Amino acid sequence: MEQQPGPSRGAAGTGRAAALLLIPVAVGLGVWFVGRGLTPDPESSLFGARYDDAMELKARLGTALLGLALVQLLLAARMYGLLPGSRPAPRAVSTVHRVTGLLAFLLSVPIAYQCLSAYGVELTSPRVAIHSITGCVLYGAFAAKVVVVRSHRFPGWTLPLVGGLLFCAIALLWYTAALWQLNGFRAPGLT
Ligand code: HEM
C-alpha cells in the first residue's frame, strides 16, 4: 500500500528504516562502479541512433522525461493539498502519479543505458562530472522512492524529500546535458 502523507510513525523502527536506506545507497554506488569499471563503447546506439544522432535523441527524450517529472511534481502537490481542489485528493490522482512515475523510470532507462555504455561515468569536466554523478543519484533516488513508499517505517516528511530529490536529479541531468545539447553546447553557468 502506498504511504499517504501523514505524521511520523514513531522511533520504534528507526534502525530498520536506516537499514532500508542502505538499498538506495547501494543502487547509486552500483551505478557508479559499473560506470567507472566498464569500457566505453562510443558506437553504442539508442533505438538505432548513434553518435550525434544518439545525443540529439537523448536530449529530446530527456526533455520528455523532465515533462513527466513536472507532472509528478504537480500531482504530488495536489495530493499534499498545496493546490486548489477537494481534500483528500481523489484516488485517481495517486493512481496517475504512480503510472507517470513508472513511465518516467522506464523512459530514463534507455537514455541512461546509452550514456553508461557509450561513455561510462566520466569526470572529465565539471559539467560532465555533475551529469555523471547525478545519474548515479537518480537511480539511488528511484530506489529510495520505492523503499519509502512501500515501508511504513519512515516519518511523513521522507516521501516529499525523496520525491524532491528525484525531481532535482532529473532537472539537473536535463540541464547539464539535454539543454546543453539542444542549446548549441551552451547552458548558463556551464562550460
Ligand atoms: C546513469 C546515468 C547517467 C550517466 C552515468 C550519464 C553519463 C553521461 C556522460 C558521461 C555523457 C557524455 C558527456 C560528454 O562527454 O560530453 C552523457 C551525455 C548525455 N547524457 Fe547522460 N548520463 C546518465 C543519465 C542521463 C539521463 C537520465 C539523461 C536525460 C536527461 C541523460 C542525457 C544525456 C544527454 C542528452 C547527453 C549528450 C550531451 C552531452 O554530451 O552531455 N543522461 N551522459
Side-chain angles (χ1 to χ4, degrees), residues 1 3 9-10 12-28 139-155 158 162:
M1 261 255 295
Q3 181 185 325
R9 290 168 192 272
T14 305
R16 210 50 217 278
L20 280 174
L21 285 180
L22 292 177
I23 297 172
V25 172
V27 170
Y139 288 97
F142 268 128
K145 186 82 194 285
V146 174
V147 165
V148 172
V149 164
R150 299 270 152 197
S151 167
H152 296 284
R153 296 175 189 279
F154 294 94
T158 322
V162 173

Side-chain angles (χ1 to χ4, degrees), residues 31 55 58-59 62 111-112 115 119-120 122 127-128 131-132 135 173 177:
V31 177
M55 281 200 196
K58 273 193 299 187
I111 306 173
C115 284
Y119 313 105
E122 275 186 12
R127 178 187 69 82
V128 170
H131 180 79
S132 294
L173 281 162

Side-chain angles (χ1 to χ4, degrees), residues 46-47 58 61 105-115 139:
L46 177 63
F47 303 124
K58 273 193 299 187
L61 293 178
F105 173 75
L106 293 176
L107 178 58
S108 78
V109 170
I111 306 173
Y113 178 80
Q114 204 276 343
C115 284
Y139 288 97

Side-chain angles (χ1 to χ4, degrees), residues 56-127:
E56 184 74 19
L57 181 57
K58 273 193 299 187
R60 293 187 186 283
L61 293 178
T63 303
L65 180 62
L66 181 67
L68 287 177
L70 280 168
V71 170
Q72 287 298 80
L73 205 58
L74 286 174
L75 291 167
R78 178 72 179 82
M79 282 190 279
Y80 278 79
L82 300 175
L83 295 179
S86 60
R87 289 183 205 177
R91 182 87 195 129
V93 175
S94 74
T95 306
V96 176
H97 185 80
R98 281 177 179 213
V99 172
T100 313
L102 178 63
L103 284 177
F105 173 75
L106 293 176
L107 178 58
S108 78
V109 170
I111 306 173
Y113 178 80
Q114 204 276 343
C115 284
L116 270 176
S117 57
Y119 313 105
V121 168
E122 275 186 12
L123 308 171
T124 45
S125 74
R127 178 187 69 82

